[in-house]
Amino acid sequence: LTGHSLGAGVVQILSIILCGGDDGWSSVRRLRSTGSTMSVGSAEDWVLPPNVRLKTFLYAPPPAFRLNDDAEQAHPEAAAAAKLAASSAVGFATNYDIIPRTSLHNGFNLFQQARVVDSHVRWRKRDIFKLLRKVQSEDPREAEESRQRVIAAVSDAIKAAAEGPPPAPNPFARQHPVAAQMYHFVGTSGGTIGTLPRQMLSIWEFAGIDPPKEAASAAAAASAASSSV
C-alpha cells in the first residue's frame, strides 16, 4: 500500500484493518445521504491471508494514530493490529512539511505559541506585513536586518512568557503516523520550502538558546548535500 498526504492517512487506517484491527466492524454500513444500506463484509473478510505480507510506504503521512495503555487494555486486538501495521510501514517527510506535524496536540501548542506572540509583541498589523515584505526583500542586507528584528521580537516574547504563570496543559495526547520507521529529508529543493542551514538554526534562535550539536551537525550535512546536488 502507498499514499501521499491525505491518502497516506487513509492507508494507515486501512493497514490496521487489514491486520485485523477493526474490532468494532459492522457487516452493514448505512449511507447518510440516502438512508440506504450496503454490505461491506465482516471484519474477517478484510484481514489479509496469512501468506500475504503487508508493506506500506507513506509519503508526508499525517499523524493519524495514538496508542496508550488505556487503549491497549480496552482494545487489545486493535492495538496488536496497529503495532503489526506499523512494523510493516515506512514513512517519509520533507523539510518543514506541515502535514506530518498536523495533529490536535501540535495544533494546541501552536495556538499557545501564537497567543504568546500576540500578547507580548505589540505591533500593528500594517507594520507586521510591512516587515514581512522586507524579510523577502531582494536586498540581502535589508532582508537580514528585518529577519533579525522578527527573531529578536519573538525571542523576547518567549522569554517574557516564561517568566509569567505556566501555560495551560495540553489536553490532547500525542499522535504519530502508523510507521515504525520515519525518514526526514532536510534541505531538499522543491515541494515544501527548502530548508537552508541558517533557517534550521533560527528555530533555536527563536527560543533564545544555543542550538544543540546535533542541529548544527544536521545543518552542515544539509548544506553539503544541497551543494553537491
Side-chain angles (χ1 to χ4, degrees):
L1 298 176
T2 186
H4 170 258
S5 192
L6 177 60
V10 174
V11 166
Q12 291 178 67
I13 304 303
L14 179 58
S15 65
I16 295 176
I17 294 175
L18 293 176
C19 290
D22 196 349
D23 57 357
W25 191 267
S26 173
S27 60
V28 176
R29 294 290 194 228
R30 181 171 297 279
L31 302 180
R32 292 182 179 179
S33 58
T34 62
S36 60
T37 60
M38 66 177 183
S39 175
V40 293
S42 64
E44 291 75 14
D45 294 333
W46 285 78
V47 177
L48 290 174
N51 61 334
V52 177
R53 182 182 177 184
L54 177 65
K55 194 64 179 178
T56 306
F57 297 93
L58 307 171
Y59 298 94
F65 184 76
R66 69 181 179 90
L67 184 63
N68 53 32
D69 295 337
D70 293 338
E72 288 197 71
Q73 294 177 3
H75 306 281
E77 293 184 1
K83 292 180 180 180
L84 179 60
S87 68
S88 305
V90 180
F92 303 91
T94 303
N95 295 331
Y96 288 162
D97 189 353
I98 192 175
I99 299 302
R101 299 168 172 83
T102 303
S103 66
L104 292 175
H105 181 91
N106 291 343
F108 181 87
N109 287 343
L110 177 62
F111 281 113
Q112 290 289 82
Q113 294 166 2
R115 185 173 298 175
V116 166
V117 174
D118 288 341
S119 299
H120 294 86
V121 181
R122 300 295 185 177
W123 291 350
R124 295 180 300 177
K125 291 183 179 179
R126 181 174 60 184
D127 295 333
I128 294 175
F129 288 118
K130 183 178 180 180
L131 185 60
L132 291 179
R133 282 196 295 269
K134 289 184 178 180
V135 170
Q136 303 297 325
S137 172
E138 295 182 359
D139 183 349
R141 181 176 179 180
E142 182 182 45
E144 182 62 20
E145 290 178 350
S146 301
R147 176 178 170 274
Q148 291 299 330
R149 185 181 173 189
V150 173
I151 291 175
V154 174
S155 178
D156 290 343
I158 293 175
K159 291 178 180 178
E163 297 173 354
N170 195 321
F172 303 105
R174 293 183 180 275
Q175 296 167 273
H176 55 84
V178 184
Q181 301 179 58
M182 278 291 299
Y183 293 93
H184 189 189
F185 297 95
V186 180
T188 59
S189 59
T192 307
I193 297 177
T195 307
L196 299 177
R198 186 180 66 182
Q199 294 173 323
M200 292 174 61
L201 296 180
S202 69
I203 296 175
W204 304 100
E205 294 171 359
F206 274 131
I209 59 177
D210 295 329
K213 294 180 179 179
E214 292 79 0
S217 299
S223 177
S226 60
S227 62
S228 63
V229 174

